[in-house]
Structure formats: C-alpha cells, structure tokens
Amino acid sequence: MIIPLYQAEIAHPSIRGSVTALQQFMLGIGALVASWTTYGCNRNFPDDSSRQWRVSLGIQIVPAGVLALLIMLFPESPRWLIDHGKADAGLRTLAKLHAHGNEQDPWVQAEFDQIRDQISFEHENEAKSYVELFTNRSSFRRLLLATAIQASVQMTGVSAIQYYSPVIFSQIGISTDNTLKYQGISSVLALIAQATCIALIDRTGRRWAMIGGNLANCLFFTIATIMLAVFPPGSTSNASASWAFIVVTWLYNISFSATNGPLSWIVPAEIFDTRTRSKGVSIGVMVSFAFNTMIGQVTPIAMGKIGWRFYILFVVCNFTNAVYFWATQPETKKRPLEEMNYLFTNAPWFVPTMNMKDFEVHDLEHRVEEVERKGSITRHDEL
C-alpha cells in the first residue's frame, strides 16, 4: 500500500503516472522470477513437493532483505514533512527531487507554497478520521472510485488465472509442466506490457486506458469461454484449440498488464488529498485483498462444478467495469495532487457530460509564473 502512495507524493505531475506504474512493473519482475523458479522446481524436484515450495519461498527472502535495507536511504515525502511541521526539510526534499537541490527554483517555490496552502486548508476543513471519508461528499466520491478500481481489478479474472492456471489449462488438455512454462512466457509478455504503460500512461491518460483495458479483457475472456464451450475438456485432442487458448490468455495478460494492473496503483494514490491519502488508499487495498481472497476461494470450486460457465462472470464484469469507469472516472493525468480536491468537489459525478478544461485550474502554473515575475522584478531592482 505505502509504495504507490509514496511514489505519487514525490513524483513530478508530468511523470507521476510512469513513476507510480513502476509498482506494477516491479511486481511483474517478481512474477517473472517466481514463474520460472516454480517451473524449474517442478521439473527438478518432481517427487519432492516439499522442496518445490520451500525453495521458491526461500528465494523471496533475498529481494525482501535488500528492499528493507534500501528503505533506510529513502527521504520522507515533502508533503509528509510539511504536514508534520517540518517545512524547511520539505522544501529541501522538493528541491532535491525536482531541481537538483536548488531551493530558489520557481517550480520548487510554487509547489512548496501550493502544498503548504493546501495542507493548511486541510487541517481546518478536511478529513481527520476514517469516518469523514464517508461523510465528506468529495472524499467519499474519491473513496468510491478507489475501491471500485481495486474491486474491479480482481473481477477482471486476473487472480483466477494466476492462482489456478494448472486447473484452468488442464480443462483444455494442457499438462501442469507445460502450464508453468507457458505462465513463464506470459510473465515476460506482461513485463513488456508494463514497460509500455510506463512509457505511455502520462500521454494517453488514465480514463480511456482503464475503459479500453476492460473492453479488451472482456473480448479475450469471451473468446476463451467460447473455446472451452466448443472444445470441452477431455472430449477433444485438438492441438490447435489448446494453442489458441494459450495465446488468448497471453493476450489477456498483455491487456491487463498494460492498463488495469498499473492503473489500480496509479489512480487511487493520486486522487486523495494529503490528509486522506493514506486512509483512502488503505481502504482500497483492503477491498482489493477481500475480493482477491474471494476469487481465490471460489475459483477452484466453480471450475470443478460449472467449468467454462465460470468464465461468463469475468466476461460480464469486464464489460460492466468499462461502463462504470466511462461514467464515473475523470481524467487525472498531469494534474498536481493539490488540485485533485477542486476536481472531485466541483466536477459532475457523471463524467461524460463534463468538459475537462472547465475544471483545470492551473493553480501551480500560475504560481510558477508569479514566482518568476517576482524574481525578475527583484533582479531589475538590484540592477
């Protein structure tokens, strides 16, 4: 939870999406290592199930230990410092992040003033407890969007595929060993897709990437469902059908990894204000794990009881996800965190009726211009 929140708070608005998407990219690297480690353990320890999972689990200790040590070198975010009465330290950190340490940089000065003004306003008016996330209209709107995104990600079917690939693939006649190998290849493709998201998300924006990703997921799950229905498990040895099913799951993973996966971290971390960000994101993550647990418990039972019909759930959910976010998710790319409050307070709840330009206040840009103007006047007076 804390990683995307921290990334959003330290990143420049123009690259915030790319920086926060690194969360999903690093998860992708972990999935890549895990996939091939599992495949290797399955092949090399075929008669020792204990070693299969112990070796895989033990390897995870190494990157976790490295991360724990490196965290000691990270600075606190500027917003946290300013919010906790350490304005000078917040200014220094802002300068290091955005201006190579130059505290007189116009952008740094303007952002510092904007953060300080917003935090002062929040201390007087905004949420100081979880309860106010539900009682404040603007905060509740953001909470609803964040939790909807986290729930919708699980209902795309990604966890069902990741956790139970051997069961799902076996339904169409693919062995466990080959399933693990194909999952390893899928992890490589996912990593490429996540890198593409990092490169493009601050250009394409969040809204249509979320909508398009869900529609693509719906298409691929529809194809997979039809294939399982037409070529029932155990009743056919059609190699072409097996390969087509594999390719469809790869295409689904590419679609998810380029859109919904990274966006599930990007959007919730950037839409809340400083006082509600950690609370709102924590509730969103709680919802994600709740739905993740539900899918994990239900999938093996459903696959055994109703087979391919279980896929219809994800076909429907991906489509309704797209419709919901088309209706409710405003575009937030390149908008400073301190200007999210204005957007979610004043913009209509039904987003298609709004003109985004009507809700772009450009407060930070105006502050930068003001700092530059004052600096120009000062230099002129000195001359």
Side-chain angles (χ1 to χ4, degrees), residues 110-172:
E111 188 174 22
F112 175 73
D113 289 341
Q114 185 186 52
I115 293 171
R116 188 169 53 181
D117 290 347
Q118 181 64 24
I119 288 176
S120 296
F121 174 81
E122 291 171 9
H123 282 181
E124 297 174 3
N125 301 283
E126 296 301 313
K128 298 178 177 63
S129 70
Y130 280 96
V131 173
E132 293 183 46
L133 279 170
F134 297 90
T135 58
N136 179 280
R137 183 179 175 86
S138 176
S139 296
F140 180 72
R141 179 181 179 182
R142 285 176 270 191
L143 179 65
L144 190 63
L145 178 59
T147 52
I149 288 173
Q150 295 290 5
S152 73
V153 164
Q154 298 302 325
M155 297 311 295
T156 62
V158 63
S159 294
I161 290 179
Q162 287 178 343
Y163 294 165
Y164 297 102
S165 290
V167 176
I168 296 172
F169 278 42
S170 68
Q171 288 203 345
I172 205 162

Side-chain angles (χ1 to χ4, degrees), residues 299-338:
T299 297
I301 300 172
M303 295 302 293
K305 294 287 186 180
I306 60 176
W308 64 266
R309 293 173 183 82
F310 183 54
Y311 273 36
I312 297 175
L313 171 67
F314 302 119
V315 172
V316 173
C317 286
N318 275 299
F319 180 75
T320 56
N321 288 348
V323 173
Y324 180 81
F325 294 122
W326 170 79
T328 64
Q329 182 180 349
E331 182 56 66
T332 52
K333 71 170 183 178
K334 297 186 178 181
R335 183 182 291 267
L337 297 180
E338 281 65 41

Side-chain angles (χ1 to χ4, degrees), residues 47-72:
D47 301 319
D48 190 346
S49 60
S50 176
R51 292 182 71 184
Q52 287 180 7
W53 70 264
R54 289 182 186 277
V55 172
S56 299
L57 191 64
I59 291 174
Q60 297 181 43
I61 298 174
V62 177
V66 173
L67 178 61
L69 293 174
L70 289 177
I71 287 175
M72 305 300 294

Side-chain angles (χ1 to χ4, degrees), residues 43-320:
R43 285 185 63 88
N44 290 286
F45 311 129
D47 301 319
D48 190 346
S49 60
S50 176
R51 292 182 71 184
Q52 287 180 7
W53 70 264
R54 289 182 186 277
V55 172
S56 299
L57 191 64
I59 291 174
Q60 297 181 43
I61 298 174
V62 177
V66 173
L67 178 61
L69 293 174
L70 289 177
I71 287 175
M72 305 300 294
L73 304 177
F74 293 179
E76 292 288 355
S77 81
R79 288 168 178 81
W80 186 91
L81 290 168
I82 297 170
D83 188 33
H84 288 76
K86 301 178 181 180
D88 291 341
L91 177 60
R92 285 195 300 271
T93 302
L94 269 179
K96 291 177 181 178
L97 289 170
H98 302 320
H100 305 291
N102 180 12
E103 296 180 15
Q104 302 305 314
D105 180 84
W107 178 275
V108 170
Q109 287 288 324
E111 188 174 22
F112 175 73
D113 289 341
Q114 185 186 52
I115 293 171
R116 188 169 53 181
D117 290 347
Q118 181 64 24
I119 288 176
S120 296
F121 174 81
E122 291 171 9
H123 282 181
E124 297 174 3
N125 301 283
E126 296 301 313
K128 298 178 177 63
S129 70
Y130 280 96
V131 173
E132 293 183 46
L133 279 170
F134 297 90
T135 58
N136 179 280
R137 183 179 175 86
S138 176
S139 296
F140 180 72
R141 179 181 179 182
R142 285 176 270 191
L143 179 65
L144 190 63
L145 178 59
T147 52
I149 288 173
Q150 295 290 5
S152 73
V153 164
Q154 298 302 325
M155 297 311 295
T156 62
V158 63
S159 294
I161 290 179
Q162 287 178 343
Y163 294 165
Y164 297 102
S165 290
V167 176
I168 296 172
F169 278 42
S170 68
Q171 288 203 345
I172 205 162
I174 301 171
S175 69
T176 299
D177 190 60
N178 281 332
T179 294
L180 294 174
K181 179 173 65 177
Y182 298 147
Q183 275 296 96
I185 296 172
S186 182
S187 296
V188 174
L189 297 174
L191 204 61
I192 295 172
Q194 289 154 7
T196 302
C197 177
I198 291 173
L200 299 178
I201 195 62
D202 284 311
R203 301 179 188 178
T204 61
R206 285 62 155 150
R207 173 176 159 78
W208 284 105
M210 182 74 79
I211 297 168
N214 277 291
L215 290 176
N217 296 341
C218 178
L219 172 63
F220 297 134
F221 256 106
T222 301
I223 296 172
T225 304
I226 293 171
M227 291 180 62
L228 285 176
V230 174
F231 301 101
S235 65
T236 179
S237 58
N238 191 320
S240 297
S242 297
W243 268 108
F245 185 79
I246 293 168
V247 171
V248 168
T249 61
W250 286 348
L251 291 173
Y252 163 81
N253 201 23
I254 290 171
S255 169
F256 176 86
S257 299
T259 55
N260 307 105
L263 285 167
S264 70
W265 302 109
I266 295 171
V267 177
E270 69 184 5
I271 60 177
F272 293 99
D273 52 36
T274 302
R275 296 287 286 180
T276 62
R277 189 169 296 118
S278 61
K279 300 178 180 66
V281 172
S282 69
I283 293 176
V285 172
M286 180 188 69
V287 170
S288 177
F289 277 101
F291 275 77
N292 181 284
T293 302
M294 178 190 70
I295 293 297
Q297 295 298 313
V298 169
T299 297
I301 300 172
M303 295 302 293
K305 294 287 186 180
I306 60 176
W308 64 266
R309 293 173 183 82
F310 183 54
Y311 273 36
I312 297 175
L313 171 67
F314 302 119
V315 172
V316 173
C317 286
N318 275 299
F319 180 75
T320 56

